[in-house]
Amino acid sequence: MKKFLLGTVALVALGVAAPAVAADLPARTYTKAPAYVAAVYDWSGFYIGANAGGGWFKDNWNSLGGFDLGSHTGDGAVAGGQIGYRWQTGTWVFGLEAQGDWADLKGDHDDTFFSTRSDNSKLKAFGLFTGQIGYAWNNALLYAKGGAAVTSTNYNVSFPIAGVTASTNDVTKWGATVGAGLEYGFAPNWSIAVEYDHIFIDRKDVDFAFTATGIYSGTLRTGGDTDLVTARLNYRWGGPLIPRF
């Protein structure tokens, strides 16, 4: 009985002391959860890539005397690469790029002045040197480009009945280009794009020589614009994801 009374007294004393001890403890502190961080894609940095696709062109032919010799369209495949640099400020993206492609765009027509002659052309390569301006929605980029273009084309005329052919060396022509593209970054340093380009090339005098002998056979004026559609894959250095709070 004595032990029971002592235990009861101890429990009562503990119950009275507990609120006093709790009152002396410091107030509980609450830690604010860290703010959510959204990753923003950054398009800045050097990049290098490959492209492939197709194109078409129109080639207009005239004699030096001004006679219209007709025209033809041609088409075919292109493939090559590009290298450039972009820098981003806010949602705007600016860049410089050099692109070089091999091409196999060719076409022909029956000459309107010499009915037995076939006029042929083949665009073999081109280069684009452009500036870019674009608008980015995180990892999606819509851009426009413009600058200078250079093409390399081979021309020949043939008289199938006579078995005579005259051709040119590869003719280099300079012109202008404009284009636009839509690019998507599917990884921090990788992106894919689809791009359209238009190349403006004026007519130019080109010298022909007989294929069999190499003797000069005459001069004609040729030229025309080219359109290109390519798919592109780029790898970029730099430009890590930017944290946005």
Side-chain angles (χ1 to χ4, degrees):
M1 185 68 178
K2 182 178 181 179
K3 290 182 179 180
F4 175 77
L5 291 174
L6 290 174
T8 301
V9 171
L11 289 174
V12 172
L14 181 62
V16 172
V21 173
D24 293 335
L25 293 176
R28 180 180 297 178
T29 58
Y30 293 90
T31 303
K32 184 179 180 181
Y36 172 72
V37 178
V40 180
Y41 199 87
D42 183 13
W43 290 93
S44 301
F46 287 98
Y47 64 90
I48 189 171
N51 69 79
W56 60 97
F57 69 92
K58 184 174 183 180
D59 200 2
N60 302 288
W61 291 55
N62 287 87
S63 68
L64 291 183
F67 293 103
D68 182 6
L69 304 180
S71 63
H72 61 258
T73 58
D75 54 35
V78 301
Q82 62 274 348
I83 186 171
Y85 180 79
R86 287 175 174 148
W87 59 96
Q88 182 170 353
T89 173
T91 56
W92 292 99
V93 179
F94 304 90
L96 297 171
E97 183 183 272
Q99 174 180 339
D101 280 47
W102 294 276
D104 186 26
L105 310 183
K106 51 190 175 182
D108 63 82
H109 72 276
D110 293 332
D111 194 281
T112 57
F113 191 77
F114 299 99
S115 58
T116 59
R117 190 177 80 181
S118 176
D119 300 333
N120 308 268
S121 58
K122 178 180 179 180
L123 195 155
K124 302 175 65 175
F126 64 88
L128 307 178
F129 308 93
T130 56
Q132 296 183 2
I133 181 171
Y135 189 86
W137 293 268
N138 199 4
N139 60 332
L141 174 66
L142 179 66
Y143 62 89
K145 60 190 293 187
V150 59
T151 62
S152 177
T153 308
N154 180 265
Y155 302 93
N156 74 75
V157 296
S158 62
F159 295 87
I161 296 178
V164 176
T165 301
S167 62
T168 69
N169 295 319
D170 292 342
V171 177
T172 300
K173 296 181 180 181
W174 284 89
T177 183
V178 294
L182 179 62
E183 192 160 350
Y184 177 77
F186 62 91
N189 297 94
W190 290 93
S191 61
I192 55 175
V194 60
E195 183 176 297
Y196 165 78
D197 297 289
H198 184 86
I199 300 176
F200 303 89
I201 296 292
D202 291 333
R203 298 185 188 185
K204 180 179 179 179
D205 294 346
V206 294
D207 296 329
F208 290 78
F210 290 112
T211 305
T213 62
I215 299 174
Y216 169 78
S217 63
T219 300
L220 299 175
R221 180 177 288 268
T222 66
D225 294 351
T226 300
D227 295 278
L228 306 162
V229 176
T230 55
R232 297 153 63 95
L233 175 67
N234 287 328
Y235 179 82
R236 177 174 40 82
W237 289 271
L241 294 179
I242 304 174
R244 180 175 62 191
F245 296 89

